[in-house]
Amino acid sequence: MADEVVLLDYWASMFGMRARVALAEKGVKYEYREEDLRNKIKSQLLLQMNPVHKKIPVLIHNGKPVSESLIIVQYIDEVWRDKAPLLPSEPYQKAHSRFWADFIDKKLYDACSKIWSTKGEEREAAKKDFIEILKQLEGQLGDKPYFEGEKFGFLDIALITFYCWFHAFETCGNFSIEAECPKLIAWAKRCMQRESVSRSLADEKKVYELVLGVQKMLGVE
Amino acid sequence: MEEVKLLGAWPSPFCYRVIWALKLKGVKYEYVEENLTTKSERLLQHNPVHKKIPVLVHGGKPIPESTIILEYIEEVWPQNPLLSDEPYERAMARFWIKFGEDKTSVFIAYFQSIGEEQEKAKNEAQEALKTIEHGLGDKKFFGGEKIGLADLALGWIAGWLGAMEESAGLKLLEPNMFPHLQAWIRNFKEVPEIKENTPHHDELLAYFKSLRERSIASARS
């Protein structure tokens, strides 16, 4: 029986992109459904499939919903386990990857959204926080090609989806991320050479246009 | 057999969930009580990023963050499984673990505040309990017939909430509310490894009373 896989998503969401990359790595065919979040319209399906948080992404596999992006990626890894393993098999390495993915979710999103959604001193503080967090992650990468070593995996997926937002952060914040974290940018460019990543990430110019639109609304250009 | 150490601090429920997992799996470990006001070199070395307890140290290798420790324990010691083999059930357990973690701040706010602020936090906390009630349904445990990781992660509701309510002077869980959750609390407390490893109510009450006095005093100053 063929699997029916649907992804409820929003084109610019770095969390939704994680699911897209994971599905692409595994070669899973799925139906992509865009939620109109810009106009704050949530479909009946989304409200039904994620009644607790009413957020994307939601993966619907044969009618059963899975939400929360990192939980979705782990689910994809466990269901389609015969191809391209995403999490390390060794428990300590697995814990290490989960720790840093959790770190990204706890710290990175808040820091980077403040770069474009605030101004003046608050923006400068957010930039500083953001670079510090990236430097910690760069430290974890070290000289390895990917976070977990030779192979692209879970932690790379957790972070790479923020890369298409970097252009917007740099332009709003007037700084260069490459100047601060050259190894991390080299890693990002390496990841972008994978089709699963380049096809899943949003166009950085379109992301910047989106940010400009929201900034106008908030009055923080 | 490699040495297992747990760095913890009484009466942290984040710490107890790890103790419960180790006890349920029959894993021998050495418990080390950490002073959170003056943090030891050992703690700072084993959890340099967050500087928090609990930290599990297995064969000299540290694993911080309680929910990550729980998954690690499950993988290294598969006896008496606390997580289903089935990917969808695993995703559901992880969803409820994350939900509990995300709502921690709401319960802390309810505990630390007074007056109108406390009323508002109380309502949010009750909404969270209502969601947990629906998620539980008429299952005995989140894991089904047997206790699982999601039960351990939410176990603070069984042992700690009562003492928190008494010291905060504002009830969250009235006797006629959330019957499934109330039944779950009774079932959870009866599991021998939980019963034998939960702080006494009176000790918790004294601890929370003193903590609340300090929180209110520092909020007023």
Side-chain angles (χ1 to χ4, degrees):
Chain A
M1 199 194 77
D3 274 321
E4 194 195 67
V5 184
V6 177
L7 180 66
L8 305 185
D9 200 348
Y10 176 64
W11 70 273
S13 163
M14 58 279 267
F15 303 104
M17 287 172 219
R18 288 168 170 174
R20 286 177 239 166
V21 174
L23 289 165
E25 282 287 316
K26 301 278 185 179
V28 176
K29 286 199 178 12
Y30 67 98
E31 181 194 340
Y32 177 94
R33 283 205 208 169
E34 180 78 1
E35 290 286 327
D36 189 8
L37 296 189
R38 187 80 175 81
N39 293 311
K40 295 191 176 12
I41 298 169
K42 294 183 180 183
S43 71
Q44 268 306 108
L45 187 61
L46 175 59
L47 299 176
Q48 193 193 343
M49 290 288 143
N50 189 0
V52 174
H53 300 300
K54 307 175 177 55
K55 285 181 174 179
I56 58 91
V58 182
L59 186 80
I60 310 172
H61 183 204
N62 295 330
K64 296 202 287 193
V66 181
S67 52
E68 299 292 332
S69 63
L70 294 179
I71 295 176
I72 292 173
V73 174
Q74 288 182 87
Y75 176 81
I76 291 168
D77 200 31
E78 285 167 14
V79 171
W80 290 280
R81 58 174 172 266
D82 295 331
K83 187 181 175 191
L86 302 176
L87 270 148
S89 50
E90 200 275 314
Y92 186 73
Q93 291 304 319
K94 218 182 250 189
H96 182 266
S97 292
R98 284 185 174 133
F99 176 86
W100 287 102
D102 176 65
F103 176 83
I104 289 165
D105 274 2
K106 278 188 165 97
K107 308 266 188 181
L108 192 62
Y109 183 74
D110 279 346
C112 57
S113 46
K114 283 195 176 131
I115 295 175
W116 57 264
S117 66
T118 64
K119 46 187 180 178
E121 263 181 50
E122 233 188 307
R123 178 176 283 177
E124 290 308 305
K127 268 164 64 178
K128 200 164 158 270
D129 277 344
F130 175 70
I131 290 297
E132 253 176 63
I133 293 162
L134 285 191
K135 284 195 161 148
Q136 275 184 287
L137 290 164
E138 196 181 46
Q140 284 306 303
L141 179 65
D143 290 315
K144 306 193 295 292
Y146 299 107
F147 274 95
E148 285 147 14
E150 295 300 314
K151 279 169 41 177
F152 179 79
F154 182 74
L155 189 46
D156 303 291
I157 295 176
L159 184 58
I160 192 57
T161 59
F162 282 78
Y163 181 60
C164 58
W165 280 73
F166 280 11
H167 170 64
F169 303 150
E170 286 174 314
T171 317
C172 293
N174 191 28
F175 68 119
S176 158
I177 297 173
E178 189 160 14
E180 302 279 352
C181 303
K183 278 189 174 161
L184 201 64
I185 297 300
W187 159 84
K189 290 179 177 166
R190 188 176 305 125
C191 291
M192 285 295 283
Q193 284 171 3
R194 300 178 77 82
E195 221 179 293
S196 64
V197 176
S198 58
R199 285 202 174 180
S200 302
L201 264 54
D203 179 309
E204 62 179 21
K205 291 192 179 62
K206 291 205 170 108
V207 169
Y208 179 53
E209 268 170 44
L210 172 71
V211 167
L212 283 181
V214 181
Q215 279 187 321
K216 243 189 199 140
M217 251 176 41
L218 296 173
V220 291
E221 300 95 315
Chain B
M1 238 267 299
E2 284 183 308
E3 191 191 55
V4 182
K5 248 188 219 180
L6 174 63
L7 311 185
W10 188 92
S12 161
F14 300 100
C15 188
Y16 272 88
R17 54 177 70 150
V18 175
I19 291 173
W20 294 331
L22 292 168
K23 292 282 182 190
L24 283 161
K25 294 204 178 246
V27 177
K28 286 202 182 359
Y29 67 97
E30 180 197 340
Y31 176 80
V32 178
E33 177 78 11
E34 290 285 345
N35 182 330
L36 298 186
T37 330
T38 322
K39 294 181 179 179
S40 69
E41 261 316 298
R42 171 185 54 222
L43 177 59
L44 297 177
Q45 196 195 350
H46 285 323
N47 191 0
V49 176
H50 299 304
K51 305 174 177 52
K52 286 180 174 180
I53 55 90
V55 183
L56 190 77
V57 188
H58 184 206
K61 296 194 286 197
I63 301 110
E65 293 297 303
S66 64
T67 57
I68 292 172
I69 297 172
L70 289 179
E71 294 246 23
Y72 178 83
I73 290 171
E74 179 63 16
E75 280 153 23
V76 174
W77 295 284
Q79 66 269 28
N80 192 16
L82 299 172
L83 198 57
S84 166
D85 267 337
E86 206 277 307
Y88 188 73
E89 295 304 317
R90 291 162 76 89
M92 287 300 102
R94 286 172 180 147
F95 176 86
W96 289 109
I97 292 169
K98 184 164 198 297
F99 181 81
E101 293 308 276
D102 290 347
K103 295 297 172 187
T104 306
S105 56
V106 165
F107 287 91
I108 291 176
Y110 146 80
F111 177 73
Q112 285 181 340
S113 56
I114 51 173
E116 251 183 66
E117 220 190 297
Q118 195 188 32
E119 268 300 320
K120 180 169 172 268
K122 171 194 159 189
N123 292 331
E124 278 184 48
Q126 281 179 331
E127 275 306 306
L129 291 177
K130 188 176 175 189
T131 304
I132 293 169
E133 167 84 0
H134 283 152
L136 187 57
D138 51 17
K139 296 197 298 291
K140 187 176 181 194
F141 294 111
F142 274 94
E145 275 308 300
K146 267 184 67 211
I147 198 173
L149 291 189
D151 302 285
L152 300 191
L154 293 166
W156 67 269
I157 297 172
W160 281 246
L161 185 60
M164 278 174 74
E165 286 175 300
E166 257 184 81
S167 43
L170 186 64
K171 208 112 175 68
L172 272 185
L173 197 55
E174 303 286 355
N176 60 338
M177 278 175 144
F178 311 138
H180 293 135
L181 186 59
Q182 307 255 21
W184 173 84
I185 289 172
R186 287 191 295 273
N187 289 326
F188 186 82
K189 280 176 161 173
E190 282 310 304
V191 175
E193 290 85 350
I194 309 294
K195 200 171 188 175
E196 290 153 21
N197 296 286
T198 297
H200 291 291
H201 178 80
D202 293 338
E203 289 173 348
L204 274 181
L205 188 57
Y207 170 81
F208 279 124
K209 274 193 169 142
S210 147
L211 188 60
R212 183 163 157 86
E213 269 159 36
R214 275 183 277 143
S215 309
I216 293 173
S218 66
R220 280 184 175 145
S221 60

